[in-house]
Amino acid sequence: MTEWFNSLADTFYRCFIEDSRWKWMLEGLGNTMIITVFALMIGIILGIIVAAVRSTYDMNGAAMKKKGGPAYIFLRIGNFICNLFLTVIRGTPVVVQLMIMYFIILINVTNGVLVAIIAFGINSGAYVAEIFRSGIMSIDEGQIEAGRSLGFNYIQTMIFIIIPQAVKVVLPTLFNELIVLIKETSVAGYVGVMDLTKAGDKIRGRTFEAFMPLFAVAAVYLVIVIILTRILRIIEKRLRKSERR
Amino acid sequence: MKKTFLSILAALICMTMVFSMTAFAAEAAPVSTVEEGVLNIATNAEFPPYEFKEGDGFAGIDIEIAGAIAEALGLELKVNDVEFGSIIGGVQSGKYDIGIAGMTKTEERLQSVNFSETYAIGVQVIIVKEDSDIQTADDLVGRKIGVQQDTTGDIYCCGDFGDENVTEYRNGAEAVQGLIAGKVDCVVIDNEPAKSYVAATEGLKILDTEYVTEEYAICIAKESEDLLAAINGVIKDLQESGKLQEIVDKYISAGEEAEEEESK
Amino acid sequence: MNDALIQVRDLKKYYDNGRIKALDGVDIDIRKGEVVVIIGPSGCGKSTFLKSLNLLEMPTEGKIIFEGVDINDSSVNVNIHRQKMGMVFQHFNLFPHKTVLGNITLAPTKLKGISKEKGRERAMELLRMVHLEDKADAYPAQLSGGQKQRIAIARALAMDPDVMLFDEPTSALDPEMVGEVLDIMKELARGGMTMIVVTHEMGFAKEVGSRVIFFDGGQIREENTPQEFFAHPKDPRLQDFLSKVLI
């Protein structure tokens, strides 16, 4: 038993203390968080734009078609582009998108973290767009009618009436996307970025210990996700409360 | 009726077991392996000319050496293509019998596994773009260096130039793509694959000065001492019979090999 | 041009490439200060007609001339004209994320540039009118159906409309709450507001209606003063309809 414990302590020392290898884990964790947070920001902005175009077309397209004119043509082209974007991004693995971004599209960007942020941001944008769209679609049509009847135009109705309600609806799902995204960024190592998973790999490559680095990496992800899930529960509780009031 | 059927069935099962055991005993190798009659090797087939994918299978110096070893030991060769960083762990945990992947014997690795006698000399060289101002290894200070993750080049560069200047790619080809794309200023990698990459790509060159010279060996689990002895015996035989040189020459032209001999 | 506030000319609304005719050629003039009550069986097109008046439903063809402008013309910005047409819905459609005060002041402050204080003052005035000044800071979810509908009326009035459109305003209410909403509407009518009301409340039609209209099959079947309308219905389908609802 003591022997087993000693060997465990020895492994721990080799994996994390020797050569300050814990610093890799810390750096990796930092990069994982940076990539996730900024990618989600890009995702939300992109998602709002795509969702706005798509739901405008869904809800308003018929009326605009009757009126015709350049606005309708723009909307149709925009809707087509958005659909193409969603199909391509959701139809291909994120790791392939990341490599295409790194080796082909953003060839001049040497900062791997930045490339990862952009790639994951665009990927996340596609999923966030559908989250927002379903949120907008979940709002009772009567809300749009009420807004329009008061004289708000479509965009004003969206901004003042629909989106504030939709945000409440999608907040839990959006938060869930954050949790998914954290785990998805574990492929950032494919483009030479030192994220949490890669830090574990690096320790594994140096020490040839599989157990300790892998479990340490898993544990860190797990702790982050557990914390975020707790926060999500609190948010959900608050939202339910404000509905009942 | 039912009883008779059951006893016949039991007898049949017993007979089958006895037969199969004798069958195994007849084919059993002189050394014990993970899988009876099979030599399971772990490699990372992204390291030409030592190991790479060819058609549906694998080829390269290491693969052929492993084949010669398996043949000498009366075993069937089975190649497992895994991440470079997972090879030693896999051998240590008894998933594979040996690891052969252009691997250098280091103090650190010796803590986890045993190594055979050296079967080849590896040289870590520096690949740069033809118009690069990097002339020698000393010029690498403060520059962005691309490496294959967990290789000796990676370990040495991290130690010499700092983690923050080293970009670790999953394989050598990606490191070279990173160099072409301008993500890194140079790639430090083994001499043999370096030649293949430079030959295949316009505008790249290998610096004349080597970065590190290292000796390649096969890794074997610490418990498998009989396998280690057997493999060392086979390597010795292969060297004496000239078979080893034959294999190396098949993949690397004689002239280049002579150069390498001189640099030693 | 006569003194009509709204002139509807040959209004048509077809669905499904003309297979379904929700509105099949409606003509009507509505004068200032009139209270026009529209009744008819469900699915007769009366709600579609009301929602077409402010283009919440896009008519297939026809003219809706409101204050001299054909708002169904594609070159007209309907949003400006909608500000002058208040609407009250069957299901209230209050904004659940805003307080009562927020519901009432949203449109005036955002669309008319009225200051927050002025908007609040006007809102409190309207809340007194609907007898709910104590609910200013409540959220819609805390209100009863009748209270919600009275707030919805106040919200529409806050834009100082020239006409009020009511789409079955009491149909979704519990019976004991119908009275409080009808009282507000009667008060509004007596104050001279032009109103178009789709309803099943025959008592309201008799009491405050200047004209009652019977809709069926997407057309106006009968149109008369309340006394004549209920005492001497001419259209056989209206006779049938009244015999069913006036028991």
Side-chain angles (χ1 to χ4, degrees):
Chain A
M1 187 66 197
T2 8
E3 202 181 308
W4 178 80
F5 188 78
N6 280 345
S7 89
L8 201 69
D10 178 53
T11 314
F12 184 85
Y13 178 83
R14 282 211 292 141
C15 286
F16 302 116
I17 314 293
E18 202 177 289
D19 282 348
S20 304
R21 287 186 180 127
W22 58 272
K23 280 186 180 161
W24 295 343
M25 293 283 285
L26 204 65
E27 191 198 335
L29 175 63
N31 278 338
T32 293
M33 297 312 285
I34 288 169
I35 293 168
T36 306
V37 169
F38 285 99
L40 192 67
M41 281 182 186
I42 293 176
I44 287 173
I45 294 165
L46 198 61
I48 286 174
I49 295 168
V50 174
V53 172
R54 295 244 304 146
S55 39
T56 305
Y57 184 81
D58 286 356
M59 293 195 274
N60 236 8
M64 282 178 79
K65 191 177 180 179
K66 193 185 157 196
K67 264 194 164 182
Y72 175 70
I73 293 165
F74 270 126
L75 183 65
R76 248 193 106 152
I77 293 170
N79 186 57
F80 175 78
I81 292 170
C82 288
N83 275 333
L84 190 70
F85 167 76
L86 292 178
T87 309
V88 170
I89 295 297
R90 297 197 303 168
T92 54
V94 65
V95 63
V96 176
Q97 294 164 19
L98 179 67
M99 305 248 267
I100 289 173
M101 211 39 107
Y102 185 82
F103 285 114
I104 299 163
I105 298 173
L106 296 177
I107 196 156
N108 292 321
V109 182
T110 50
N111 185 339
V113 174
L114 186 62
V115 174
I117 286 173
I118 293 168
F120 285 111
I122 289 172
N123 181 269
S124 174
Y127 291 93
V128 173
E130 287 304 271
I131 293 172
F132 273 127
R133 197 171 76 96
S134 69
I136 289 169
M137 289 305 190
S138 77
I139 304 301
D140 179 27
E141 217 178 311
Q143 292 291 311
I144 297 174
E145 286 190 339
R148 300 302 305 264
S149 79
L150 287 166
F152 287 110
N153 65 30
Y154 178 76
I155 292 168
Q156 289 167 327
T157 308
M158 280 290 137
I159 292 172
F160 296 128
I161 296 156
I162 305 303
I163 290 173
Q165 295 181 55
V167 165
K168 265 192 175 181
V169 175
V170 303
L171 209 57
T173 329
L174 202 58
F175 210 80
N176 202 50
E177 169 68 15
L178 173 69
I179 291 172
V180 171
L181 193 59
I182 286 176
K183 290 176 284 176
E184 272 192 348
T185 60
S186 61
V187 296
Y190 274 72
V191 295
V193 171
M194 172 86 137
D195 75 318
L196 184 56
T197 303
K198 178 124 180 173
D201 278 355
K202 196 167 167 174
I203 294 173
R204 216 149 50 90
R206 297 290 196 275
T207 61
F208 313 109
E209 290 291 343
F211 174 85
M212 194 75 89
L214 283 176
F215 271 83
V217 166
V220 176
Y221 279 113
L222 194 61
V223 167
I224 297 171
V225 170
I226 287 172
I227 292 171
L228 289 176
T229 312
R230 280 276 160 84
I231 297 173
L232 174 61
R233 290 225 186 95
I234 295 169
I235 293 174
E236 279 179 330
K237 226 180 199 173
R238 287 251 173 100
L239 286 181
R240 256 186 312 222
K241 232 186 222 166
S242 82
E243 263 160 37
R244 255 188 260 124
R245 274 199 221 239
Chain B
M1 185 62 199
K2 204 177 175 186
K3 235 177 189 173
T4 336
F5 174 73
L6 276 177
S7 46
I8 291 171
L9 190 71
L12 273 173
I13 291 169
C14 284
M15 272 161 71
T16 322
M17 280 167 73
V18 169
F19 274 126
S20 56
M21 274 159 77
T22 41
F24 270 122
E27 286 173 16
V31 289
S32 60
T33 55
V34 175
E35 207 177 321
E36 281 285 355
V38 178
L39 183 68
N40 264 291
I41 70 158
T43 192
N44 176 240
E46 308 272 1
F47 195 59
Y50 286 93
E51 46 265 329
F52 51 92
K53 294 186 187 84
E54 195 176 68
D56 293 334
F58 302 95
I61 296 170
D62 286 348
I63 306 294
E64 296 220 3
I65 290 172
I69 291 171
E71 198 185 339
L73 298 178
L75 298 168
E76 191 195 321
L77 181 71
K78 191 174 164 195
V79 179
N80 299 278
D81 184 18
V82 299
E83 295 269 318
F84 189 82
S86 306
I87 293 173
I88 292 197
V91 170
Q92 192 184 12
S93 64
K95 264 175 101 168
Y96 318 111
D97 296 308
I98 63 169
I100 179 163
M103 195 178 274
T104 311
K105 193 194 285 188
T106 63
E107 277 306 309
E108 189 142 48
R109 286 173 180 166
L110 276 169
Q111 291 191 17
S112 308
V113 285
N114 280 333
F115 276 93
S116 70
E117 296 297 325
T118 305
Y119 65 88
I121 306 290
V123 182
Q124 294 285 319
V125 294
I126 301 157
I127 308 178
V128 293
K129 283 189 180 171
E130 268 173 359
D131 55 358
S132 172
D133 58 347
I134 295 172
Q135 309 258 318
T136 66
D138 297 333
D139 297 337
L140 296 188
V141 176
R143 305 301 285 266
K144 285 196 154 81
I145 305 162
V147 295
Q148 179 182 356
Q149 188 178 352
D150 304 333
T151 56
T152 46
D154 176 16
I155 294 167
Y156 288 133
C157 285
C158 284
D160 291 351
F161 307 109
D163 286 328
E164 66 278 8
N165 293 316
V166 178
T167 303
E168 298 165 316
Y169 291 92
R170 287 172 57 260
N171 56 54
E174 278 180 11
V176 172
Q177 281 163 22
L179 173 64
I180 296 163
K183 308 273 180 184
V184 290
D185 300 320
C186 62
V187 169
V188 170
I189 200 158
D190 189 273
N191 191 28
E192 301 311 329
K195 283 176 194 163
S196 308
Y197 292 137
V198 170
T201 318
E202 285 275 308
L204 297 183
K205 64 174 181 185
I206 299 171
L207 291 189
D208 293 335
T209 53
E210 289 140 10
Y211 176 49
V212 196
T213 304
E214 53 186 9
E215 300 178 336
Y216 289 160
I218 297 169
C219 71
I220 303 147
K222 290 203 162 168
E223 300 84 57
S224 317
E225 280 176 12
D226 53 339
L227 185 62
L228 174 67
I231 285 174
N232 277 336
V234 175
I235 289 175
K236 205 173 165 221
D237 289 348
L238 288 173
Q239 270 166 342
E240 280 169 4
S241 68
K243 181 99 197 286
L244 190 66
Q245 193 59 45
E246 222 173 88
I247 292 170
V248 173
D249 288 350
K250 189 175 157 191
Y251 288 94
I252 303 159
S253 72
E256 282 165 356
E257 195 57 28
E259 268 174 36
E260 221 177 273
E261 287 296 320
E262 276 167 30
S263 67
K264 243 166 82 183
Chain C
M1 178 116 317
N2 55 18
D3 62 341
L5 185 69
I6 304 174
Q7 291 168 279
V8 178
R9 291 292 173 267
D10 200 25
L11 194 64
K12 287 175 182 162
K13 173 71 179 178
Y14 295 164
Y15 292 105
D16 212 3
N17 282 328
R19 272 192 286 278
I20 298 164
K21 295 175 176 172
L23 295 178
D24 196 12
V26 178
D27 288 270
I28 189 172
D29 285 13
I30 290 153
R31 285 176 295 279
K32 220 171 166 4
E34 254 193 319
V35 176
V36 177
V37 179
I38 300 172
I39 64 170
S42 62
C44 68
K46 56 191 194 300
S47 271
T48 307
F49 171 69
L50 198 72
K51 285 184 176 177
S52 295
L53 290 179
N54 63 356
L55 302 193
L56 284 185
E57 291 275 3
M58 287 300 281
T60 310
E61 58 177 271
K63 285 183 175 174
I64 300 160
I65 299 157
F66 175 59
E67 297 180 335
V69 180
D70 179 11
I71 58 171
N72 193 30
D73 190 297
S74 62
S75 64
V76 171
N77 179 3
V78 72
N79 297 313
I80 293 162
H81 300 286
R82 279 194 186 128
Q83 295 183 15
K84 295 269 130 203
M85 307 168 108
M87 190 159 201
V88 175
F89 301 88
Q90 181 178 357
H91 296 287
F92 332 127
N93 298 349
L94 292 181
F95 307 135
H97 63 298
K98 299 246 173 229
T99 62
V100 164
L101 209 57
N103 266 275
I104 299 171
T105 56
L106 183 70
T109 52
K110 300 290 182 197
L111 292 174
K112 285 180 152 181
I114 287 170
S115 71
K116 273 206 168 143
E117 298 79 62
K118 276 239 168 122
R120 203 190 146 85
E121 256 171 56
R122 173 81 177 121
M124 291 311 292
E125 215 172 276
L126 289 165
L127 282 176
R128 272 192 291 281
M129 194 200 119
V130 298
H131 316 297
L132 286 170
E133 59 262 56
D134 57 326
K135 296 289 184 192
D137 296 318
Y139 279 84
Q142 297 166 302
L143 303 176
S144 72
Q147 289 171 330
K148 280 183 196 169
Q149 198 59 297
R150 281 143 69 195
I151 299 298
I153 293 170
R155 178 177 70 180
L157 289 171
M159 289 298 283
D160 293 319
D162 293 338
V163 60
M164 284 284 282
L165 311 175
F166 291 86
D167 185 13
E168 303 200 25
T170 56
S171 299
L173 294 177
D174 290 336
E176 76 270 22
M177 292 173 183
V178 171
E180 60 189 73
V181 172
L182 290 180
D183 285 345
I184 301 290
M185 290 169 64
K186 286 172 194 165
E187 210 174 304
L188 208 54
R190 279 191 282 272
M193 175 60 75
T194 312
M195 291 163 67
I196 304 170
V197 185
V198 171
T199 188
H200 298 295
E201 296 295 329
M202 301 303 157
F204 176 83
K206 279 181 195 162
E207 194 181 332
V208 292
S210 4
R211 248 194 302 169
V212 185
I213 287 168
F214 177 65
F215 243 84
D216 194 30
Q219 289 173 323
I220 295 174
R221 308 289 302 194
E222 186 149 343
E223 178 179 350
N224 220 325
T225 59
Q227 295 80 5
E228 278 298 302
F229 186 91
F230 289 108
H232 309 290
K234 291 175 196 75
D235 188 271
R237 273 191 266 185
L238 173 59
Q239 290 165 357
D240 182 52
F241 179 74
L242 288 178
S243 72
K244 278 174 189 160
V245 292
L246 288 180
I247 296 166

